[in-house]
Amino acid sequence: MKPFPRPLAIAFLVVFPVLFVGCKAGDVSSEAKSQSVSVRVSEVTGGQTQEIPLRFSGIVRATQRATLTFQVSGTLKERSVELGRRVEAGDMLARVYNPALAPARDSARAKLDELVTQYDQAKREWERSSRLHERGVVSEQSLEQIAARRDALKASVATAEAALAEATQLLDESSLRAPFAGRVEALLVEPDEFVAAGQPVMRISSPKGREVEVRVPAYLLQHVVLGEALPVWSVQDRSQPPHTGSVVEIAQAGAIRGELHPVLVSVPVNTLEPGEPVEVGITPTRLSATTVPLLSVIRTAKGTGVFRVRNRVASRIPVKVERVVGERVVVQADDLSPGDQVVYAGMARLTDGDTVEVR
């Protein structure tokens, strides 16, 4: 075999290390470029959401209203108002006749007069006996008996005064007067009809305020607060924009199954008339659960977690899995917020703090 030329062999030995070094440098450069892990990400969902407004029907009514009754029974002999009439506070509205009321008052007054006379006489008798007692004519025992009779008559006078006040009040209750200024809404008893004590006779209302009561399920009571503004639509003219009402009263949830609970909404004056049917909108607000893709949850010796991506850096975030909903998982995590990006593909070579390339 022909020997290899010596000058050529020396040149090859000089050039070969340079080529070898060049190849290794190229490999290191390509490896440095491949340190960014290619991954795929998905958003974290959750936070506060609002559902579609629910409408509940009601009837507008006056804020100040009253159903008037007599405290005594009798025959309705006088009615001074007609339906729809405006009245002022203290106006006479109706009167019933009870044949026992006036005699009872007169009897109580006569009894009081009799006892007052006896009491005055007992006082004078005690004063005379006291002077005689000082002279030694009347004994101590007799004076005490006279004083006891005087005190007993004084107590009887007080009882008679109370009886007269009661009889007078009952007679006054036979007259029905307006408790406030307003309008007569309904007349429930006609003249010459017998009226029992406590039986509704008429209804009046004041024009100073408007309100509507709606009844809602128990779970919706948690979605309204006092003073909250709610839309109120008129059913008679749905083309009109809704009025804005304010929640003034919220009922307490009860234990009766299927029971609806009242919510009272105040309506601005001069907007809706009493008796007008309306709908009140209540929008339930709920806090939705934090969810991540099922594939994004990993389990290690430190527990379950996900990789969150921010500024192309993957950070391992510990999470607590609650339940699986379809292809997503409901989790509890203090460091996850709705809108965060979590890795669901490409986690085989991913470690905490790695730089990632999102595909």
Side-chain angles (χ1 to χ4, degrees):
M1 183 176 69
K2 187 176 180 180
F4 199 73
R6 184 180 180 85
L8 185 59
I10 294 173
F12 178 76
L13 292 174
V14 172
V15 174
F16 180 75
V18 176
L19 294 175
F20 181 76
V21 171
C23 292
K24 297 299 289 183
D27 292 343
V28 171
S29 177
S30 63
E31 184 178 351
K33 292 181 180 179
S34 64
Q35 287 181 354
S36 297
V37 181
S38 180
V39 297
R40 291 184 178 180
V41 297
S42 178
E43 284 191 358
V44 177
T45 63
Q48 189 172 2
T49 59
Q50 285 191 336
E51 298 180 352
I52 299 174
L54 304 177
R55 296 192 179 192
F56 298 89
S57 60
I59 302 295
V60 178
R61 66 189 186 190
T63 302
Q64 188 178 21
R65 61 196 182 279
T67 300
L68 305 181
T69 64
F70 289 103
Q71 298 301 310
V72 295
S73 60
T75 304
L76 186 63
K77 286 298 183 183
E78 179 183 347
R79 193 177 67 189
S80 306
V81 295
E82 298 297 334
L83 189 64
R85 176 181 170 183
R86 295 189 177 275
V87 296
E88 298 296 330
D91 286 354
M92 176 66 68
L93 303 179
R95 189 189 307 273
V96 294
Y97 171 71
N98 187 319
L101 296 179
R105 180 199 58 185
D106 297 339
S107 176
R109 180 180 291 118
K111 184 65 175 178
L112 177 61
D113 294 340
E114 178 185 357
L115 291 172
V116 168
T117 301
Q118 294 178 4
Y119 173 63
D120 291 340
Q121 181 181 358
K123 285 196 303 182
R124 292 191 297 268
E125 184 178 355
W126 181 83
E127 291 172 357
R128 288 194 300 269
S129 298
S130 296
R131 291 192 294 268
L132 294 175
H133 175 66
E134 293 175 356
R135 300 176 185 177
V137 177
V138 177
S139 64
E140 184 73 23
Q141 182 179 3
S142 298
L143 184 63
E144 290 178 355
Q145 290 176 352
I146 296 173
R149 182 172 180 272
R150 178 203 60 187
D151 295 341
L153 287 171
K154 182 179 180 181
S156 299
V157 168
T159 302
E161 290 176 346
L164 176 60
E166 180 182 4
T168 303
Q169 182 64 33
L170 288 176
L171 185 60
D172 292 340
E173 290 295 334
S174 63
S175 300
L176 193 62
R177 297 183 179 274
F180 53 83
R183 182 174 60 87
V184 178
E185 282 189 349
L187 298 173
L188 308 176
V189 178
E190 294 298 325
D192 296 327
E193 287 186 7
F194 179 80
V195 180
Q199 178 182 346
V201 176
M202 65 180 65
R203 293 198 308 265
I204 67 172
S205 62
S206 173
K208 294 183 178 180
R210 299 287 185 269
E211 65 184 16
V212 57
E213 178 184 298
V214 294
R215 293 186 172 269
V216 301
Y219 81 94
L220 276 181
L221 297 178
Q222 302 176 357
H223 298 274
V224 291
V225 295
L226 292 176
E228 180 181 358
L230 297 179
V232 181
W233 290 274
S234 173
V235 176
Q236 297 176 348
D237 190 358
R238 297 182 181 273
S239 63
Q240 295 294 328
H243 302 284
T244 302
S246 177
V247 179
V248 293
E249 290 183 15
I250 303 174
Q252 178 69 31
I256 301 177
R257 185 176 183 179
E259 182 182 15
L260 298 178
H261 307 280
V263 174
L264 198 61
V265 180
S266 176
V267 181
V269 183
N270 300 326
T271 55
L272 298 168
E273 292 299 323
E276 187 172 350
V278 295
E279 291 179 341
V280 178
I282 298 179
T283 304
T285 303
R286 60 183 178 87
L287 190 65
S288 63
T290 301
T291 66
V292 297
L294 179 62
L295 298 177
S296 67
V297 180
I298 59 174
R299 183 181 295 275
T300 63
K302 297 181 180 180
T304 55
V306 297
F307 282 105
R308 182 187 64 194
V309 176
R310 285 184 180 176
N311 299 324
R312 298 186 59 189
V313 176
S315 303
R316 188 182 183 280
I317 305 298
V319 299
K320 180 181 179 182
V321 178
E322 292 187 343
R323 63 184 184 275
V324 178
V325 182
E327 297 182 353
R328 301 187 70 85
V329 182
V330 178
V331 297
Q332 289 184 0
D334 296 334
D335 296 332
L336 282 183
S337 302
D340 285 346
Q341 302 285 334
V342 293
V343 178
Y344 72 90
M347 296 179 292
R349 296 180 295 120
L350 192 61
T351 59
D352 191 13
D354 282 353
T355 302
V356 298
E357 179 181 356
V358 179
R359 291 186 292 169

